Amino acid sequence: MRQWVELLGEPIRTRALSKTMTMMKSRIDFAYMAVFVLAFLSTVALFPVWKSHHAAVHAFVELLCVLFSLSGFLITWILFEKGTPGSHLFGFGFLSIGLFTFFHIFAFLGLFSSPIDRHDLTVRYWIMERIVEAMVILSASEGISIRLNRWVWLSITLLGTLSISLALLAYPGLFPITFLEGQGSTPAKMLIELMITGLFLFCLILQLEQKPVKRSGYKRYVLLALLLALPVGLLSAGFMSMLSFDGLLIHILKVFYYALLFMGLFVNMITEPHRELSMASERFLKIFHSSPASISIVSIDGYRYIDVNGAWEKLTGYSREEVIGKSQRDFICLDQEIHRAIANRPVQNIMGVFTTKAGEIREGLITTEVTELDGVPCLIYATIDVTEKNKFERELSRLDRLDLVGQMAAGIGHEIRNPLTTVRGFLQLFGAKKGMEGYGEYFDLMISELDRANEIITEFLSLAKNKPKQVKIQDMNQIISSLHPLLMAQAFKRDQQLITELGNVAALALDEHEIRQLLLNLVNNAFDAMEKGGTVTIQTYSEGDQVILAVCDEGTGIAKEIQSQIGIPFFTTKDYGTGLGLATCYTIAERHHGRIDYQTGPEGTTFYVAFPSAEKRERTADEGDRSGESGYGAENSRMERAS
């Protein structure tokens, strides 16, 4: 190939893309030499048979060319809708070439009754093959796009090919004499062959100048075919006899470059599209299964799972093998209201509730799309789990409202309590005067209501963030033990039971008064949540570097619809509740750097309060001090450098 490229001259080498040459040069060099040597050796092996059975060998070789031509046409016909205009041109060009080759064979065998010498008529059909080959490859190399219906293509191809073939038979003078047996090619044939060879050379130049394409295998075969077509043209321009070695070599080279053109078309329409489809399928599967969003594909008919990705398995707890081929109704993952909202149509980001295999209820943003897979209407579900996000947002909302209430408590709590104290004192004074004995019952009622209001204000003031604390290192179990008689008395009064299970826990930095208030609120809520005969259990235990206080009741659990409002100030389910008890507990836990969580169900509810150990709080404080000193030192250094 190096010699052929050098013939193109320096201008062509500068225009051709160096990247293309680098990628293809080594492969084409080796392939061209291998094909040419194989063609030459085949010619040497067949030459004795060629001389003795010339007609049979000629017909066999040309029929191989017909086989490749018609195979290329059939591929184009079958895959017409998926093909490009360039591949259509190649395929129907193959049909025309195959028909001309048939006429070429029949003429060589003397099956036509014509005043033209059979060798001359044979060469005329040969030349028509070559012209169609060159024009088809040239049109494809120039990127000429002709968009026609397949039947229009077929009609034009058959009409044109048969018209020219019959015209060559019916009108001997239509074409100059091209070949004389014993004398060889005429000047007219030499000129025509050289012109056709020039077209092939021009096609080769265009192919070399084109930028690399995805389907590079197709281009490699076309380049090899063009490189073989050049010596065929040069040899056929001047060979002297049909029985010569050159005549057989020409036909063998023709078979090879027809095979290469067929392979190029096969790669372009079958091999490369299949490879691209496989790669696209592999990319889709990688994206589908590695997507962080939970995705499932469900058939609309029967709502059977077709496929699910890894995020869906992780989110729901079901494995892919458990659900594929089974209906959504068998798992009851999605709420029925969500099914009704989707109703087999595309939706965008609707909030849905679904249940995992473990029975956990989670929330998600659901988007669906309707599509068809292998002719089956399907729904694609994409779900983003927002359970933690919603929980975090609700917690932030609760803390914002708690902060507002705390600020209000700090600002107006004392201002309200002072006049109440005054009113209470005057009520007691008036109740002690003579003549007021008949109103004692009313005075007592007013005083008790004022005391109740004072208790509410006391709880209200406990929400203030700036409330002073009297923190000291002490044992949580001792605080619980000191409250135990009071709690037992309340349990006895309610005909309920109280059990304490106190573990060996580390000492904590606690405000005893606030912890007593927190424990009383939690235990009273537990008593209120149960019927007579129920049992409240108080537990303490260590979990890592935290101490856990747990208060467990045997009630009916917290209703699902109010769980999001737990801890919000003034929210209560009690007839005479203030809605400040749990809000106060959350504030006390926050002031002790702890957190409150709960588990609820039909068997009861357990509230957990996690307190950091004293050692952990000291470590956190030390780290904060060091970071503060580091920042202060850095600031001093900056000031010193600035000065």
Side-chain angles (χ1 to χ4, degrees):
M1 179 189 174
R2 193 175 293 106
Q3 295 175 349
W4 289 105
V5 174
E6 289 174 357
L7 290 175
L8 301 179
E10 185 63 26
I12 301 303
R13 287 200 299 271
T14 56
R15 285 197 301 270
L17 290 172
S18 59
K19 187 176 180 180
T20 308
M21 295 295 294
T22 303
M23 290 169 51
M24 295 187 176
K25 185 175 180 300
S26 60
R27 293 182 181 179
I28 294 177
D29 276 347
F30 177 78
Y32 178 68
M33 293 302 298
V35 170
F36 198 89
V37 169
L38 183 59
F40 185 82
L41 294 176
S42 300
T43 305
V44 171
L46 288 174
F47 185 62
V49 184
W50 171 263
K51 292 183 68 175
S52 59
H53 299 85
H54 178 250
V57 175
H58 177 270
F60 174 74
V61 172
E62 290 293 351
L63 283 173
L64 286 177
C65 295
V66 171
L67 176 65
F68 288 125
S69 300
L70 295 184
S71 298
F73 163 70
L74 288 175
I75 290 174
T76 305
W77 181 264
I78 294 170
L79 301 176
F80 186 87
E81 300 299 332
K82 297 182 179 180
T84 62
S87 62
H88 296 161
L89 189 62
F90 250 99
F92 285 94
F94 263 132
L95 175 60
S96 179
I97 293 166
L99 293 175
F100 277 126
T101 306
F102 266 123
F103 281 100
H104 172 76
I105 296 171
F106 293 159
F108 187 81
L109 295 175
L111 300 179
F112 291 133
S113 177
S114 173
I116 307 173
D117 178 72
R118 74 181 182 90
H119 294 98
D120 185 23
L121 184 60
T122 301
V123 172
R124 292 186 185 194
Y125 286 120
W126 165 277
I127 290 173
M128 292 310 302
E129 293 175 43
R130 299 271 291 162
I131 291 174
V132 174
E133 293 166 14
M135 295 306 297
V136 167
I137 297 176
L138 178 62
S139 300
S141 300
E142 286 282 11
I144 296 175
S145 177
I146 304 175
R147 296 185 179 274
L148 298 172
N149 180 276
R150 72 170 76 193
W151 294 104
V152 176
W153 266 114
L154 183 62
S155 302
I156 293 173
T157 303
L158 292 177
L159 183 62
T161 304
L162 294 176
S163 298
I164 294 172
S165 300
L166 295 175
L168 291 176
L169 281 173
Y171 302 100
L174 188 63
F175 220 85
I177 298 174
T178 57
F179 189 82
L180 296 172
E181 185 62 31
Q183 298 182 21
S185 300
T186 64
K189 180 180 183 295
M190 291 182 184
L191 179 61
I192 294 171
E193 286 285 3
L194 290 175
M195 291 174 63
I196 294 172
T197 304
L199 286 176
F200 279 120
L201 181 61
F202 185 61
C203 292
L204 179 63
I205 294 171
L206 291 176
Q207 289 288 332
L208 289 171
E209 285 184 325
Q210 287 178 356
K211 294 181 179 180
V213 293
K214 289 183 179 179
R215 300 177 182 179
S216 57
Y218 154 76
K219 183 172 183 177
R220 186 165 63 248
Y221 287 118
V222 172
L223 285 174
L224 284 171
L226 289 171
L227 288 171
L228 289 177
L230 295 177
V232 169
L234 295 176
L235 289 171
S236 62
F239 81 103
M240 301 302 296
S241 171
M242 291 287 188
L243 299 176
S244 65
F245 183 85
D246 291 349
L248 178 58
L249 180 59
I250 289 169
H251 283 81
I252 296 297
L253 287 173
K254 178 184 175 184
V255 171
F256 274 96
Y257 82 73
Y258 269 45
L260 289 169
L261 287 174
F262 167 75
M263 291 171 69
L265 184 66
F266 186 86
V267 166
N268 189 54
M269 297 197 71
I270 296 180
T271 306
E272 289 291 339
H274 177 73
R275 185 178 66 85
E276 291 173 6
L277 184 63
S278 298
M279 291 175 62
S281 177
E282 183 180 352
R283 284 194 296 269
F284 167 77
L285 286 175
K286 285 183 178 179
I287 294 170
F288 178 75
H289 287 292
S290 61
S291 171
S294 164
I295 303 176
S296 61
I297 304 174
V298 180
S299 65
I300 291 178
D301 182 19
Y303 298 99
R304 298 190 177 278
Y305 285 101
I306 294 176
D307 205 353
V308 297
N309 69 349
W312 187 93
E313 294 180 88
K314 183 177 180 182
L315 184 61
T316 64
Y318 292 100
S319 67
R320 187 173 180 274
E321 292 73 18
E322 285 181 276
V323 300
I324 297 301
K326 296 181 181 178
S327 174
Q328 281 184 326
R329 300 183 182 95
D330 297 336
F331 300 96
I332 319 178
C333 280
L334 278 178
D335 190 75
Q336 290 299 319
E337 293 182 3
I338 302 302
H339 281 296
R340 287 192 289 270
I342 294 172
N344 299 338
R345 61 187 176 85
V347 297
Q348 292 287 330
N349 294 330
I350 64 170
M351 184 64 69
V353 177
F354 55 95
T355 307
T356 67
K357 184 178 181 180
E360 182 184 4
I361 297 175
R362 301 191 70 81
E363 302 171 27
L365 283 177
I366 301 173
T367 298
T368 64
E369 190 61 55
V370 179
T371 187
E372 263 195 23
L373 296 178
D374 298 328
V376 178
C378 298
L379 270 175
I380 300 177
Y381 289 81
T383 305
I384 299 176
D385 185 15
V386 293
T387 307
E388 302 304 325
K389 172 179 172 293
N390 289 351
K391 183 178 179 181
F392 181 70
E393 288 178 350
R394 286 193 291 266
E395 180 66 12
L396 279 180
S397 176
R398 186 191 68 79
L399 291 175
D400 285 342
R401 280 176 282 188
L402 199 61
D403 181 60
L404 177 62
V405 172
Q407 293 178 30
M408 292 173 58
I412 66 174
H414 291 290
E415 300 300 325
I416 295 175
R417 176 178 278 179
N418 290 336
L420 288 179
T421 304
T422 303
V423 171
R424 189 180 190 282
F426 276 104
L427 285 173
Q428 287 177 322
L429 183 62
F430 289 147
K433 284 188 175 183
K434 292 182 178 181
M436 293 293 179
E437 293 83 356
Y439 301 98
E441 181 180 349
Y442 300 110
F443 283 121
D444 292 340
L445 177 61
M446 286 188 286
I447 291 172
S448 66
E449 290 299 321
L450 287 175
D451 289 340
R452 174 171 166 74
N454 189 52
E455 290 176 3
I456 294 174
I457 292 172
T458 301
E459 289 189 357
F460 197 54
L461 285 172
S462 69
L463 298 176
K465 282 189 173 182
N466 57 357
K467 180 182 177 181
K469 293 189 298 180
Q470 298 178 356
V471 176
K472 61 181 180 179
I473 303 298
Q474 49 192 313
D475 188 355
M476 170 74 73
N477 291 341
Q478 289 183 357
I479 299 176
I480 296 173
S481 297
S482 66
L483 275 176
H484 188 261
L486 174 61
L487 297 175
M488 286 295 294
Q490 291 186 15
F492 180 77
K493 182 179 179 181
R494 295 169 179 261
D495 195 14
Q496 294 172 335
Q497 297 183 16
L498 177 72
I499 297 175
T500 56
E501 298 175 358
L502 307 181
N504 187 17
V505 296
L508 301 172
L510 302 174
D511 181 328
E512 182 177 353
H513 175 72
E514 289 195 339
I515 297 302
R516 290 169 67 92
Q517 185 179 5
L518 177 144
L519 186 60
L520 283 171
N521 285 343
L522 291 179
V523 173
N524 283 332
N525 284 346
F527 284 141
D528 291 338
M530 300 187 302
E531 300 293 337
K532 291 183 178 181
T535 301
V536 173
T537 304
I538 302 174
Q539 296 176 317
T540 57
Y541 56 90
S542 296
E543 192 174 86
D545 54 1
Q546 293 181 322
V547 173
I548 308 298
L549 168 65
V551 178
C552 176
D553 65 55
E554 295 179 349
T556 57
I558 302 172
K560 177 183 173 183
E561 57 270 14
I562 67 170
Q563 289 180 13
S564 61
Q565 302 182 69
I566 294 298
I568 295 176
F570 305 113
F571 172 77
T572 181
T573 58
K574 302 175 185 178
D575 293 337
Y576 300 101
T578 63
L580 293 174
L582 269 180
T584 301
C585 293
Y586 274 93
T587 303
I588 292 172
E590 184 181 353
R591 281 202 290 261
H592 284 79
H593 305 284
R595 59 181 177 83
I596 294 180
D597 200 357
Y598 66 90
Q599 288 183 348
T600 185
E603 296 80 18
T605 301
T606 302
F607 272 86
Y608 300 94
V609 188
F611 296 95
S613 65
E615 292 79 1
K616 181 180 179 181
R617 289 188 59 176
E618 288 176 2
R619 287 198 304 270
T620 306
D622 290 342
E623 289 172 2
D625 292 342
R626 285 195 295 271
S627 63
E629 291 169 2
S630 173
Y632 178 73
E635 183 64 27
N636 282 342
S637 299
R638 285 195 293 270
M639 292 176 63
E640 289 172 2
R641 285 197 298 271
S643 61

